[in-house]
């Protein structure tokens, strides 16, 4: 079902402050930033090989990323895997007893279809599948 690691999401207080480390110190290529209003988050994608690092900055105090930062501080937020068909992957996961946060695909950054698996089904790791 999974084709590759698509990206690792890292929660940050400020993309502007975080980008120089990844771009200048580590040499990653910044592919751009985008606000995803439905998730109350601003994202920046940095490329490393075939995968990406997704920096996540909350745009509202009640966003899931803001809550994560309040509880845990900056750090790894989620890991995302590519799948050929998000809706089909959701059905396969549910059929196998996996608890989903998203029962149907929703729109993520760059218009991609995404869905999150509940951390209680994935060993405490927030897991995203994306098409």
């Amino acid at each position: 079902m999974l084709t590759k690691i698509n990206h690792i999401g890292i929660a940050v207080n400020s993309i502007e402050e975080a980008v120089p480390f990844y771009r200048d110190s580590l040499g990653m290529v910044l592919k751009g930033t985008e606000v995803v209003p439905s998730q109350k988050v601003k994202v920046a994608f940095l490329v490393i090989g075939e995968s990406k690092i997704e920096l996540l900055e909350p745009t509202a105090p009640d966003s899931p990323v803001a809550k994560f930062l309040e509880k845990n501080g900056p750090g790894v937020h989620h890991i995302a895997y590519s799948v050929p068909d998000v809706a089909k992957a959701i059905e396969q996961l549910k059929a196998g007893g996996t608890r989903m946060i998203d029962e149907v695909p929703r729109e993520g950054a760059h218009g991609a279809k995404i869905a999150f698996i509940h951390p209680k089904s994935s060993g405490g790791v927030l897991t995203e599948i994306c098409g």
Side-chain angles (χ1 to χ4, degrees), residues 117-131:
I117 298 169
H118 198 286
K120 289 189 178 180
S121 284
S122 54
V125 177
L126 181 59
T127 303
E128 176 183 352
I129 53 173
C130 52

Side-chain angles (χ1 to χ4, degrees), residues 24-111:
D24 304 337
S25 298
L26 298 180
M28 293 182 188
V29 176
L30 176 64
K31 286 296 188 179
T33 61
E34 175 183 349
V35 174
V36 184
S38 63
Q39 296 184 40
K40 301 179 184 177
V41 70
K42 178 179 177 182
V43 300
F45 276 103
L46 297 116
V47 176
I48 176 72
E50 290 186 20
S51 297
K52 296 177 283 295
I53 296 295
E54 178 187 52
L55 301 180
L56 304 154
E57 175 187 326
T59 58
D62 63 338
S63 77
V65 174
K67 293 174 184 174
F68 176 90
L69 286 166
E70 185 178 305
K71 181 179 178 185
N72 304 295
V76 174
H77 180 263
H78 68 272
I79 187 161
Y81 300 98
S82 293
V83 296
D85 183 328
V86 175
K88 185 175 179 181
I90 291 171
E91 293 309 313
Q92 289 175 329
L93 288 162
K94 286 172 43 181
T98 298
R99 184 174 167 191
M100 300 296 299
I101 292 173
D102 299 301
E103 297 283 327
V104 295
R106 61 177 152 134
E107 190 171 314
H110 310 298

